[in-house]
Amino acid sequence: MKIGCYSSVTGGVLGLLLLGAGVRNCPADPALPAPVPINRDAGRGNLLIVTVTLESGEQLPFIVDTGAGRSLIDRSLESKLGQPIGTALCQSWGRVYTNNLYTAPKLLLGGAPLQITDSAIIAFDCQNDSPVAGLHIMGVLGMDVWEHYCVQLDFPAGKMRFLDARQSNKTNWGRAFLIVPLNDQDPRPAVAGNLLGQLEPHTLIDSGCNYDGWLMAKPYEQWTNRAVAPAPGEARTPNGLFHGQKYPLVFIERQDVEADGIGLRFLARHLVTLDFPEHTLYLRRQSSGPLFESGLKSTPMPALNDLVAAVLEEDGPATRRELRRIEQGRDNRQEKRVARKLAATLDASPRPTPADIAPNIDRIALGDCRPETATVGWLEPQANRIPLNSQIASPLLDSDSIYATGLYAHPPSRYVFQLGGKWRRLRGTAGLLTAFQSYAPGVVFVLRADGREIFRSGAIRGSQHADYDVKIAGAQTLELIVEQAQEGNGGDWALWLEPQLSR
């Protein structure tokens, strides 16, 4: 049997489509799986992962991907699958791969065997998704599985539930949307309406996309072109609109494809019920904004949530209003300091160089100073916040705790400050953004004074930190450099945290 496949836009996960009708080979009324746990960071920047059990008892992490037409199993397991029953041609990011097709092994989830259309599975190299997931991904469960089930995704509870829609009370499932084929050639699940509030064309429901979603070129340009006056109901970054409902802090990418899409971070704002046999999507909204995954060992400062939203929307009056509320409230001293520094990032006034600071000021945070030059390996240089991006919505500087000042420094990065020989000491710490610690390859933090190296950390990975306290008396220039610890820098969101100069 020969299968043609192509890749969809899924943030790294392949959307595979069977071209041609298949023969179902599934029991008529199988037992439904029991509720199964999903990863706590699903929809919070990560993919949706469940633990699948083989008949041998081996447990493997699989991605749940409604944007994939066919299920995949990692090539490392081919020796356990018997003889191939055919091949599959798969296209991903412009490259075509020939993959072996096997009789699907028994895959158990929630104590019950999963139904798979045609009882066939494609062997594929799934490791491209492992850095995103932070796990050694061993497979993808696509629509050849999900088309047989009504599943409910409860992100706050960390649960996936398999439901009998015929026997269920749907009162609390939320608003219903008809699920239709994406187009005449592509049967993957779609709904009318994109995140711009437009009802055409159909939009792919893609749980294998770990951000809010994407727009085709023309609607994306409408969404981002601030020079054009918005039409009634039209969204503007970073807000989205879906079937008349406003969604703040929606981050959308442009993709040169033939359909729009909604992804996991958008879905995670809801209790999601995907009743595929009855072709219905139910969304019951549970969160106004995206679900944040701080992963912090310290308190994540929920009092700052409204301020964060105002800053991300670049709403100056709302930011000032929220800052006044925090200043007048009972929030602790560190929360107020973080709030002041974050609100100040909307101030476009020029900052002084360290050499320009008045002599009576004996301490200054580098995040409050203007560098002579600044370069980073991903996104844009930014002080005292994370730059606006589609991968993580929180602008707060965090590395197991929340910090008020610092420099975003994804490698290769370099910040150069003019000191004018007026400072004696630099101290602070450095680490990786909490959301990416689990799969960042690692970084090395380096300090140079007048071109001479005065500090070099070891390889910093995970929750490790690099503390520095160096003498810089008489130095004219200071360089803060971040290097890759090894080949590859995906996820290396490095941060210089509270770097402070003193006289």
Side-chain angles (χ1 to χ4, degrees), residues 368-492:
D368 295 335
C369 298
R370 184 178 79 251
E372 180 182 19
T373 61
T375 59
V376 296
W378 179 249
L379 302 176
E380 300 293 332
Q382 188 76 61
N384 298 346
R385 61 169 288 175
I386 302 300
L388 194 67
N389 68 93
S390 64
Q391 293 173 272
I392 181 169
S394 175
L396 297 174
L397 298 174
D398 75 67
S399 184
D400 298 320
S401 296
I402 292 176
Y403 295 80
T405 70
L407 303 171
Y408 168 78
H410 194 295
S413 69
R414 179 172 175 261
Y415 287 83
V416 180
F417 292 90
Q418 291 296 328
L419 303 181
K422 299 177 180 180
W423 299 92
R424 296 172 56 88
R425 193 175 189 180
L426 172 71
R427 67 172 67 181
T429 189
L432 293 165
L433 187 69
T434 304
F436 296 96
Q437 287 178 354
S438 62
Y439 51 88
V443 299
V444 175
F445 293 93
V446 180
L447 296 170
R448 293 177 183 165
D450 292 338
R452 179 176 61 88
E453 189 172 296
I454 56 175
F455 173 82
R456 175 175 287 270
S457 75
I460 301 299
R461 298 183 176 91
S463 61
Q464 295 175 323
H465 283 75
D467 298 324
Y468 47 92
D469 187 346
V470 294
K471 296 178 180 179
I472 52 172
Q476 298 295 313
T477 62
L478 173 67
E479 296 174 73
L480 293 87
I481 297 167
V482 180
E483 303 171 350
Q484 298 169 207
Q486 62 185 58
E487 185 177 354
N489 66 350
D492 277 341

Side-chain angles (χ1 to χ4, degrees), residues 245-499:
Q245 295 292 311
K246 180 182 177 182
Y247 287 84
L249 311 183
V250 167
F251 294 87
I252 302 175
E253 291 191 356
R254 168 180 169 165
Q255 297 289 348
D256 294 324
V257 292
E258 297 180 355
D260 300 324
I262 54 175
L264 192 64
R265 192 161 66 182
F266 173 78
L267 293 172
R269 305 181 194 216
H270 311 82
L271 176 71
V272 180
T273 307
L274 292 155
D275 186 354
F276 288 114
E278 296 298 324
H279 310 290
T280 308
L281 164 69
Y282 297 86
L283 296 177
R284 192 185 84 200
R285 195 161 173 178
Q286 295 178 306
S287 172
S288 173
L291 300 182
F292 294 109
E293 173 60 30
S294 66
L296 301 178
K297 296 176 182 176
S298 63
T299 303
M301 300 186 182
L304 272 58
N305 285 353
D306 290 339
L307 175 67
V308 166
V311 168
L312 287 173
E313 294 184 20
E314 299 181 345
D315 187 333
T319 297
R320 291 188 290 273
R321 184 170 59 250
E322 288 303 322
L323 180 59
R324 285 195 299 271
R325 178 186 61 78
I326 292 169
E327 294 278 24
Q328 296 167 3
R330 297 182 177 180
D331 305 300
N332 65 42
R333 182 177 177 182
Q334 179 66 359
E335 284 181 330
K336 292 181 178 180
R337 182 166 176 262
V338 171
R340 291 185 206 111
K341 297 298 183 181
L342 182 60
T345 63
L346 296 188
D347 185 354
S349 303
R351 291 171 293 160
T353 70
D356 297 331
I357 301 297
N360 63 319
I361 297 176
D362 60 2
R363 297 175 188 273
I364 187 71
L366 282 180
D368 295 335
C369 298
R370 184 178 79 251
E372 180 182 19
T373 61
T375 59
V376 296
W378 179 249
L379 302 176
E380 300 293 332
Q382 188 76 61
N384 298 346
R385 61 169 288 175
I386 302 300
L388 194 67
N389 68 93
S390 64
Q391 293 173 272
I392 181 169
S394 175
L396 297 174
L397 298 174
D398 75 67
S399 184
D400 298 320
S401 296
I402 292 176
Y403 295 80
T405 70
L407 303 171
Y408 168 78
H410 194 295
S413 69
R414 179 172 175 261
Y415 287 83
V416 180
F417 292 90
Q418 291 296 328
L419 303 181
K422 299 177 180 180
W423 299 92
R424 296 172 56 88
R425 193 175 189 180
L426 172 71
R427 67 172 67 181
T429 189
L432 293 165
L433 187 69
T434 304
F436 296 96
Q437 287 178 354
S438 62
Y439 51 88
V443 299
V444 175
F445 293 93
V446 180
L447 296 170
R448 293 177 183 165
D450 292 338
R452 179 176 61 88
E453 189 172 296
I454 56 175
F455 173 82
R456 175 175 287 270
S457 75
I460 301 299
R461 298 183 176 91
S463 61
Q464 295 175 323
H465 283 75
D467 298 324
Y468 47 92
D469 187 346
V470 294
K471 296 178 180 179
I472 52 172
Q476 298 295 313
T477 62
L478 173 67
E479 296 174 73
L480 293 87
I481 297 167
V482 180
E483 303 171 350
Q484 298 169 207
Q486 62 185 58
E487 185 177 354
N489 66 350
D492 277 341
W493 291 48
L495 302 171
W496 293 98
L497 299 163
E498 300 284 10

Side-chain angles (χ1 to χ4, degrees), residues 48-126:
L48 174 57
I49 303 166
V50 294
T51 300
V52 170
T53 304
L54 300 183
E55 197 168 14
S56 64
E58 186 177 3
Q59 295 187 322
L60 305 172
F62 273 57
I63 293 169
V64 173
D65 187 0
T66 59
R70 294 301 301 256
S71 295
L72 312 175
I73 195 165
D74 193 67
R75 278 180 172 168
S76 64
L77 298 171
E78 282 189 279
S79 61
K80 302 179 181 181
L81 300 177
Q83 293 298 313
I85 59 174
T87 60
L89 291 179
C90 302
Q91 181 177 317
S92 174
W93 310 116
R95 297 181 63 185
V96 177
Y97 304 85
T98 299
N99 305 89
N100 286 330
L101 186 70
Y102 293 89
T103 299
K106 184 179 287 187
L107 303 176
L108 294 97
L109 189 62
L114 290 172
Q115 300 183 67
I116 303 179
T117 302
D118 298 330
S119 298
I121 198 164
I122 299 169
F124 197 85
D125 183 1
C126 299

Side-chain angles (χ1 to χ4, degrees), residues 180-193:
V180 297
L182 187 60
N183 55 51
D184 291 342
Q185 291 77 39
D186 190 339
R188 289 177 299 165
V191 293

